[in-house]
Amino acid sequence: MLAVLLALASVLPAPATDTPSKKDRYLQDKQAAAPPASECCSAGLHLPERSCRVDPTCRAPARAGDVAAQVVLVRNLWTEERMPWTGPVVLDREVLGSFLRCHATDLPGEHPRELVARVLDTAAKFGAHRVDIVSGYRNAKYNLGLAKKGREVSRDSQHTRSQAIDFSLPGVDTERVYKHLLKVHPGGVGYYPISSFVHVDTGKRRTWRGT
């Protein structure tokens, strides 16, 4: 009888458990939260997981001699949030809108891709690995309040349309950045030497000097 029981025990499957391990639960939750790869950016152009729809199939395989995309750490000076960008990029509109939001109202912006590309191209031109965002989207009511207080803002600012970005490149002379943008940018370019930042927008070609 003992021999029969041992033989049965050797062929019967182990009792199943309905409780997944902690590791299995973590992996299942992570997989469920991942956005579909079909919504990822084009092959080879990507951002980190929290801002781009990243999947291994999103990128072309690396080849010998390939030059790695430059990573730029972008910091929002109002919120102190930091976000690494690679260039060229296809940005997640929701994440970018939140990052460049109006700090006074927390309302998100909708900056065009070409304006973001201009900032990244400028950083690449000077070999900068960091960009400080001084201003992105600015709610119209908040902008009007600043204008009434005599602040250096236009009542019809491109910031209120999410069509402007004020930024600086730490360690790079602001005047050099300004002169470069005057040559390559088809829209508005502002220069603020005392505050040490430049303004770019998608409006008509023009320039001015602030403080």
Side-chain angles (χ1 to χ4, degrees):
M1 179 62 71
L2 180 60
V4 173
L5 291 176
L6 291 174
L8 288 173
S10 65
V11 298
L12 290 175
T17 174
D18 294 330
T19 305
S21 68
K22 185 176 181 180
K23 180 179 179 181
D24 290 338
R25 290 198 304 272
Y26 169 77
L27 293 175
Q28 290 171 3
D29 291 343
K30 186 175 182 180
Q31 185 175 14
S38 61
E39 296 182 15
C40 186
C41 46
S42 303
L45 311 179
H46 67 282
L47 282 176
E49 288 186 6
R50 85 179 187 94
S51 51
C52 179
R53 313 294 187 178
V54 172
D55 185 270
T57 60
C58 178
R59 300 178 232 169
R63 297 179 181 180
D66 284 352
V67 178
Q70 179 185 2
V71 177
V72 179
L73 181 63
V74 185
R75 178 177 63 149
N76 186 315
L77 295 182
W78 287 101
T79 65
E80 282 300 325
E81 294 173 347
R82 291 166 172 80
M83 179 179 172
W85 291 355
T86 58
V89 295
V90 177
L91 291 166
D92 183 293
R93 292 179 65 86
E94 183 178 349
V95 173
L96 178 63
S98 175
F99 184 76
L100 295 176
R101 68 187 180 275
C102 172
H103 69 273
T105 62
D106 271 342
L107 294 174
E110 295 182 1
H111 286 79
R113 187 180 302 167
E114 59 267 25
L115 197 59
V116 176
R118 177 64 64 199
V119 175
L120 288 171
D121 289 346
T122 306
K125 164 68 178 178
F126 292 98
H129 295 281
R130 203 180 95 197
V131 175
D132 285 348
I133 300 296
V134 179
S135 183
Y137 171 60
R138 195 183 298 148
N139 178 261
K141 290 184 177 179
Y142 171 61
N143 185 79
L144 181 60
L146 293 177
K148 288 181 177 179
K149 292 178 181 178
R151 300 294 178 83
E152 209 168 20
V153 301
S154 168
R155 287 176 179 259
D156 190 32
S157 172
Q158 292 285 335
H159 285 283
T160 64
R161 303 183 182 92
S162 287
Q163 298 293 314
I165 296 177
D166 296 344
F167 71 98
S168 65
L169 304 178
V172 181
D173 181 67
T174 307
E175 186 175 7
R176 291 181 62 205
V177 177
Y178 168 66
K179 288 181 178 179
H180 165 70
L181 288 169
L182 279 181
K183 296 177 182 178
V184 301
H185 187 61
V189 179
Y191 176 39
Y192 296 80
I194 297 177
S195 301
S196 298
F197 70 85
V198 291
H199 165 109
V200 288
D201 64 46
T202 60
K204 64 181 181 180
R205 190 177 182 87
R206 67 205 189 286
T207 187
W208 65 94
R209 182 187 179 107
T211 56

